[in-house]
Amino acid sequence: MNVVELIERKRDGGAWRDDEIRWFIENYTAGHVPDYQAAAWAMAVYFQGMTREETVALTQTMAASGRILSWPDHLRPLVDKHSTGGVGDKVSLILAPWLACCGVRVPMISGRALGPTGGTLDKLESIPGLRTDLSIDEFAQVVADVGCAISGATREIVPADKKLYALRDVTATVPSIPLITASILSKKLAEGLDVLVLDVKYGRGAFMKNRQQAEQLARSLEAIAAELGLRAKAVLHPMDQPLGRKVGNSLEVQEAVEVLRGKSVPDLLSVTRRLGCEALQLAGVAEGEPHAQQLLDTALRSGAAWERFCAMVRAQGGDPEAPLAVAHAYAWKAPRSGILLSIDAHHIGYAVVELGGGRLRQEDAVDHRVGLEFLATAGEEVHAGDDLVLVYAADEAGFQRAAQRLQQAIVIQ
Ligand code: URA
């Protein structure tokens, strides 16, 4: 087979056969196709799209590029949640142990922060001792013993995506619906799941900037998952403002713990509950929404979800009681009186990156201690000179950088 001829055909609007897609992915993963040709291949897909058959073949081939987990029947149903990424989005930290108390198991393979959106692994690593580099066997053992685990992809899982995603990241080919669909679903198929709920975000702090694009991605994910025998439901959520009141790694773990211990953070709880409800119904452990809500209520109110979180943290080597390190808090004051109209998630995401709490390149180090805490949220009345945001910064210069972003992010009228 000839890569140039394959790229030409797609460039000119043609389609690929399953065996051609398989050949390309296998050879690219093995290092026989160079990055410059793979970049042209990805750009051709970016402009011409893929048919449903092509996307199915790409997803299957990518999943099969590494190990696929298999689980004994007594551990089923296995459920996971995937989010397309947001600012202040600590839903996974709450949902995994919460669902694990409701009759399902949750093997969650998560990712790291990139750009303005946070990453679950970076957040979890704020907990002293906690490991997110479990081997597949360790990961499976924690899922079997505790009911849930959250860890990173190993080299054994979907190596094709690791390589292709890194290439897409630097060639402006991430926002392609078939490529995103295959990237997300190949990793989820490799987890050996029964059920997947997808939290598709749109808006200022998401990579799908409008609802229409998010709907297209949601339909694509559901359709391709269904063809591959995975029960999946996509739920759309706006991501114009950060979720919850805290953004930054340690701070987000703090807020997740507060919710698990019974604190009400309305927007965060509402997104988490909605995804939990869908998952329990799709998994067949709840008959209808009221039943799912009841299972979730019991698990949260009884303290079971919090205990399960502690058990998961301990099983992954962490200490759930250890204090989380946070940097010095500088107060950012409201510049005028009025109603706090909005907090722009895009600027907030970058404010945390510039404090050192996120990364612009995959290899950047992350400072877990920094972040932002909002003392008021949209719709509240604020007064000039009141403390509005606590900026947890390593130094005064970090605070000043964040303050500039806050001036752009916060609208008071
Ligand atoms: N998240 C993924 O895992 N893959 C993509 O392509 C985009 C978002």
Side-chain angles (χ1 to χ4, degrees), residues 247 251 327-333 351-352 355 369-375 388-404 406:
V247 187
L251 293 168
H328 176 73
Y330 298 80
W332 187 82
K333 295 183 187 300
V352 174
L355 282 166
R369 305 163 309 144
V370 300
L372 302 171
E373 178 176 355
F374 297 93
L375 303 176
L388 194 50
V389 184
L390 295 180
V391 179
Y392 295 84
D395 51 30
E396 173 73 26
F399 168 62
Q400 292 303 340
R401 278 195 302 277
Q404 279 177 12
L406 287 170

Short mmCIF file of all heavy atoms in Angstrom, two decimals, residues 247 251 327-333 351-352 355 369-375 388-404 406:
data_model
loop_
_atom_site.label_atom_id
_atom_site.label_comp_id
_atom_site.label_asym_id
_atom_site.label_seq_id
_atom_site.Cartn_x
_atom_site.Cartn_y
_atom_site.Cartn_z
N VAL A 247 -10.59 26.36 41.33
CA VAL A 247 -9.89 25.90 40.11
C VAL A 247 -8.40 25.80 40.43
O VAL A 247 -7.81 26.73 40.99
CB VAL A 247 -10.10 26.89 38.94
CG1 VAL A 247 -9.51 26.32 37.66
CG2 VAL A 247 -11.58 27.21 38.73
N LEU A 251 -6.80 22.61 45.08
CA LEU A 251 -8.06 23.26 45.42
C LEU A 251 -9.25 22.45 44.90
O LEU A 251 -10.29 22.35 45.55
CB LEU A 251 -8.11 24.67 44.82
CG LEU A 251 -7.12 25.65 45.41
CD1 LEU A 251 -7.03 26.91 44.56
CD2 LEU A 251 -7.52 26.04 46.83
N ALA A 327 -0.70 27.16 48.04
CA ALA A 327 0.22 28.31 48.08
C ALA A 327 -0.40 29.45 48.88
O ALA A 327 -1.57 29.39 49.28
CB ALA A 327 0.52 28.75 46.65
N HIS A 328 0.38 30.51 49.09
CA HIS A 328 -0.11 31.69 49.83
C HIS A 328 -1.32 32.29 49.08
O HIS A 328 -1.32 32.38 47.86
CB HIS A 328 1.02 32.72 49.91
CG HIS A 328 0.59 33.99 50.57
ND1 HIS A 328 0.37 34.08 51.92
CD2 HIS A 328 0.29 35.20 50.04
CE1 HIS A 328 -0.03 35.32 52.21
NE2 HIS A 328 -0.08 36.01 51.09
N ALA A 329 -2.35 32.71 49.84
CA ALA A 329 -3.55 33.29 49.21
C ALA A 329 -3.47 34.81 49.19
O ALA A 329 -3.33 35.44 50.24
CB ALA A 329 -4.79 32.84 49.97
N TYR A 330 -3.52 35.39 47.99
CA TYR A 330 -3.60 36.85 47.82
C TYR A 330 -5.05 37.17 47.46
O TYR A 330 -5.66 36.47 46.65
CB TYR A 330 -2.74 37.31 46.63
CG TYR A 330 -1.25 37.03 46.77
CD1 TYR A 330 -0.73 35.76 46.52
CD2 TYR A 330 -0.36 38.06 47.09
CE1 TYR A 330 0.63 35.51 46.61
CE2 TYR A 330 1.01 37.81 47.18
CZ TYR A 330 1.50 36.54 46.94
OH TYR A 330 2.84 36.30 47.02
N ALA A 331 -5.58 38.26 48.03
CA ALA A 331 -6.98 38.60 47.72
C ALA A 331 -7.05 39.53 46.51
O ALA A 331 -6.33 40.53 46.45
CB ALA A 331 -7.63 39.26 48.93
N TRP A 332 -7.91 39.18 45.56
CA TRP A 332 -8.19 40.07 44.42
C TRP A 332 -9.55 40.71 44.71
O TRP A 332 -10.53 40.03 44.99
CB TRP A 332 -8.25 39.28 43.13
CG TRP A 332 -8.36 40.14 41.89
CD1 TRP A 332 -7.35 40.77 41.25
CD2 TRP A 332 -9.56 40.45 41.16
NE1 TRP A 332 -7.82 41.45 40.15
CE2 TRP A 332 -9.18 41.28 40.07
CE3 TRP A 332 -10.90 40.11 41.30
CZ2 TRP A 332 -10.09 41.76 39.13
CZ3 TRP A 332 -11.82 40.60 40.37
CH2 TRP A 332 -11.41 41.42 39.30
N LYS A 333 -9.57 42.06 44.68
CA LYS A 333 -10.77 42.77 45.15
C LYS A 333 -11.67 43.21 44.00
O LYS A 333 -11.18 43.49 42.90
CB LYS A 333 -10.33 43.98 45.97
CG LYS A 333 -9.59 43.53 47.24
CD LYS A 333 -9.19 44.69 48.10
CE LYS A 333 -8.31 44.24 49.27
NZ LYS A 333 -8.93 43.26 50.16
N ALA A 351 -5.39 31.60 33.44
CA ALA A 351 -4.84 32.20 34.66
C ALA A 351 -4.16 31.11 35.50
O ALA A 351 -3.05 31.30 36.03
CB ALA A 351 -5.94 32.88 35.47
N VAL A 352 -4.79 29.94 35.58
CA VAL A 352 -4.21 28.85 36.38
C VAL A 352 -2.95 28.31 35.70
O VAL A 352 -1.94 28.03 36.36
CB VAL A 352 -5.26 27.74 36.65
CG1 VAL A 352 -4.63 26.55 37.36
CG2 VAL A 352 -6.40 28.31 37.50
N LEU A 355 -0.23 30.65 36.47
CA LEU A 355 0.23 30.52 37.87
C LEU A 355 1.17 29.33 38.02
O LEU A 355 1.80 29.15 39.07
CB LEU A 355 -0.98 30.33 38.80
CG LEU A 355 -1.78 31.59 39.15
CD1 LEU A 355 -3.13 31.21 39.77
CD2 LEU A 355 -1.00 32.47 40.12
N ARG A 369 -0.09 23.46 44.02
CA ARG A 369 -0.55 24.28 45.13
C ARG A 369 -1.29 25.54 44.69
O ARG A 369 -1.89 26.21 45.51
CB ARG A 369 0.66 24.73 45.98
CG ARG A 369 1.54 23.59 46.48
CD ARG A 369 2.89 24.16 46.92
NE ARG A 369 3.46 24.98 45.87
CZ ARG A 369 4.17 26.09 46.06
NH1 ARG A 369 4.41 26.53 47.28
NH2 ARG A 369 4.66 26.78 45.03
N VAL A 370 -1.20 25.88 43.41
CA VAL A 370 -1.72 27.18 42.98
C VAL A 370 -3.14 27.05 42.42
O VAL A 370 -3.57 25.96 42.07
CB VAL A 370 -0.80 27.80 41.91
CG1 VAL A 370 0.60 28.01 42.45
CG2 VAL A 370 -0.76 26.93 40.65
N GLY A 371 -3.83 28.20 42.35
CA GLY A 371 -5.17 28.17 41.76
C GLY A 371 -5.99 29.36 42.21
O GLY A 371 -5.46 30.33 42.77
N LEU A 372 -7.28 29.29 41.96
CA LEU A 372 -8.19 30.40 42.25
C LEU A 372 -9.40 29.89 43.02
O LEU A 372 -9.89 28.79 42.74
CB LEU A 372 -8.70 31.01 40.94
CG LEU A 372 -7.64 31.54 39.97
CD1 LEU A 372 -8.30 31.90 38.64
CD2 LEU A 372 -6.93 32.75 40.55
N GLU A 373 -9.85 30.70 43.96
CA GLU A 373 -11.09 30.37 44.68
C GLU A 373 -12.02 31.57 44.56
O GLU A 373 -11.65 32.69 44.97
CB GLU A 373 -10.77 30.08 46.16
CG GLU A 373 -12.02 29.78 46.95
CD GLU A 373 -11.71 29.39 48.40
OE1 GLU A 373 -10.51 29.26 48.77
OE2 GLU A 373 -12.68 29.24 49.16
N PHE A 374 -13.21 31.34 44.03
CA PHE A 374 -14.16 32.44 43.84
C PHE A 374 -15.03 32.57 45.08
O PHE A 374 -15.66 31.59 45.50
CB PHE A 374 -15.02 32.18 42.59
CG PHE A 374 -14.18 32.15 41.35
CD1 PHE A 374 -13.67 30.95 40.87
CD2 PHE A 374 -13.81 33.33 40.73
CE1 PHE A 374 -12.83 30.93 39.77
CE2 PHE A 374 -12.98 33.32 39.63
CZ PHE A 374 -12.49 32.12 39.15
N LEU A 375 -15.07 33.78 45.64
CA LEU A 375 -15.86 33.99 46.84
C LEU A 375 -17.29 34.41 46.49
O LEU A 375 -18.15 34.46 47.36
CB LEU A 375 -15.18 35.04 47.73
CG LEU A 375 -13.73 34.66 48.12
CD1 LEU A 375 -13.08 35.77 48.93
CD2 LEU A 375 -13.68 33.34 48.89
N LEU A 388 -12.95 39.28 46.21
CA LEU A 388 -13.81 38.54 45.28
C LEU A 388 -13.20 37.19 44.90
O LEU A 388 -13.91 36.20 44.73
CB LEU A 388 -14.00 39.40 44.02
CG LEU A 388 -15.09 39.01 43.05
CD1 LEU A 388 -16.41 38.78 43.77
CD2 LEU A 388 -15.26 40.09 42.00
N VAL A 389 -11.88 37.17 44.76
CA VAL A 389 -11.20 35.93 44.37
C VAL A 389 -9.96 35.77 45.24
O VAL A 389 -9.23 36.74 45.46
CB VAL A 389 -10.75 35.98 42.89
CG1 VAL A 389 -10.14 34.65 42.47
CG2 VAL A 389 -11.89 36.35 41.96
N LEU A 390 -9.74 34.57 45.76
CA LEU A 390 -8.46 34.29 46.42
C LEU A 390 -7.54 33.68 45.37
O LEU A 390 -7.91 32.69 44.72
CB LEU A 390 -8.64 33.33 47.59
CG LEU A 390 -9.48 33.87 48.76
CD1 LEU A 390 -9.59 32.82 49.86
CD2 LEU A 390 -8.87 35.17 49.32
N VAL A 391 -6.39 34.29 45.20
CA VAL A 391 -5.42 33.79 44.21
C VAL A 391 -4.32 33.08 44.99
O VAL A 391 -3.58 33.71 45.74
CB VAL A 391 -4.82 34.96 43.39
CG1 VAL A 391 -3.79 34.44 42.39
CG2 VAL A 391 -5.92 35.74 42.68
N TYR A 392 -4.21 31.78 44.83
CA TYR A 392 -3.16 31.00 45.50
C TYR A 392 -1.96 31.00 44.55
O TYR A 392 -1.99 30.33 43.51
CB TYR A 392 -3.65 29.59 45.79
CG TYR A 392 -4.80 29.57 46.78
CD1 TYR A 392 -6.12 29.77 46.37
CD2 TYR A 392 -4.56 29.35 48.14
CE1 TYR A 392 -7.17 29.76 47.28
CE2 TYR A 392 -5.61 29.33 49.06
CZ TYR A 392 -6.91 29.54 48.61
OH TYR A 392 -7.95 29.53 49.51
N ALA A 393 -0.95 31.79 44.90
CA ALA A 393 0.17 32.00 43.97
C ALA A 393 1.49 31.72 44.66
O ALA A 393 1.63 31.95 45.88
CB ALA A 393 0.14 33.43 43.44
N ALA A 394 2.48 31.28 43.87
CA ALA A 394 3.80 30.97 44.43
C ALA A 394 4.52 32.25 44.85
O ALA A 394 5.35 32.24 45.75
CB ALA A 394 4.63 30.20 43.40
N ASP A 395 4.20 33.39 44.18
CA ASP A 395 4.84 34.67 44.52
C ASP A 395 3.98 35.83 44.01
O ASP A 395 2.98 35.61 43.31
CB ASP A 395 6.27 34.73 43.94
CG ASP A 395 6.30 34.40 42.45
OD1 ASP A 395 5.29 34.68 41.77
OD2 ASP A 395 7.31 33.86 41.98
N GLU A 396 4.43 37.04 44.35
CA GLU A 396 3.69 38.25 43.98
C GLU A 396 3.57 38.38 42.45
O GLU A 396 2.51 38.79 41.93
CB GLU A 396 4.47 39.46 44.57
CG GLU A 396 3.97 40.82 44.18
CD GLU A 396 2.65 41.23 44.85
OE1 GLU A 396 2.37 40.72 45.95
OE2 GLU A 396 1.91 42.02 44.23
N ALA A 397 4.62 37.98 41.72
CA ALA A 397 4.58 38.10 40.25
C ALA A 397 3.47 37.20 39.69
O ALA A 397 2.74 37.58 38.76
CB ALA A 397 5.93 37.71 39.66
N GLY A 398 3.33 36.01 40.26
CA GLY A 398 2.26 35.10 39.82
C GLY A 398 0.90 35.73 40.09
O GLY A 398 0.00 35.69 39.25
N PHE A 399 0.76 36.36 41.26
CA PHE A 399 -0.51 37.02 41.60
C PHE A 399 -0.82 38.11 40.58
O PHE A 399 -1.95 38.24 40.10
CB PHE A 399 -0.44 37.59 43.01
CG PHE A 399 -1.59 38.52 43.31
CD1 PHE A 399 -2.89 38.05 43.29
CD2 PHE A 399 -1.36 39.86 43.61
CE1 PHE A 399 -3.96 38.91 43.56
CE2 PHE A 399 -2.42 40.72 43.86
CZ PHE A 399 -3.72 40.25 43.83
N GLN A 400 0.20 38.90 40.20
CA GLN A 400 -0.02 40.00 39.26
C GLN A 400 -0.47 39.48 37.89
O GLN A 400 -1.35 40.05 37.26
CB GLN A 400 1.25 40.87 39.11
CG GLN A 400 1.62 41.67 40.37
CD GLN A 400 0.49 42.59 40.86
OE1 GLN A 400 -0.42 42.94 40.11
NE2 GLN A 400 0.53 42.95 42.15
N ARG A 401 0.14 38.36 37.46
CA ARG A 401 -0.28 37.78 36.16
C ARG A 401 -1.74 37.33 36.23
O ARG A 401 -2.53 37.59 35.33
CB ARG A 401 0.61 36.57 35.82
CG ARG A 401 1.95 36.90 35.21
CD ARG A 401 2.58 35.67 34.57
NE ARG A 401 2.77 34.56 35.50
CZ ARG A 401 3.80 34.43 36.35
NH1 ARG A 401 4.76 35.34 36.36
NH2 ARG A 401 3.88 33.38 37.16
N ALA A 402 -2.08 36.68 37.34
CA ALA A 402 -3.46 36.20 37.48
C ALA A 402 -4.42 37.38 37.56
O ALA A 402 -5.53 37.34 37.00
CB ALA A 402 -3.57 35.33 38.73
N ALA A 403 -3.98 38.47 38.23
CA ALA A 403 -4.85 39.64 38.39
C ALA A 403 -5.20 40.23 37.01
O ALA A 403 -6.34 40.64 36.77
CB ALA A 403 -4.16 40.68 39.27
N GLN A 404 -4.22 40.23 36.09
CA GLN A 404 -4.52 40.74 34.75
C GLN A 404 -5.58 39.90 34.05
O GLN A 404 -6.48 40.39 33.40
CB GLN A 404 -3.25 40.73 33.91
CG GLN A 404 -2.36 41.93 34.20
CD GLN A 404 -1.07 41.86 33.41
OE1 GLN A 404 -0.92 41.07 32.50
NE2 GLN A 404 -0.12 42.69 33.78
N LEU A 406 -7.82 38.09 35.58
CA LEU A 406 -9.11 38.26 36.27
C LEU A 406 -9.82 39.52 35.78
O LEU A 406 -11.05 39.54 35.64
CB LEU A 406 -8.90 38.31 37.79
CG LEU A 406 -8.55 36.95 38.41
CD1 LEU A 406 -8.12 37.11 39.88
CD2 LEU A 406 -9.73 35.98 38.32
#
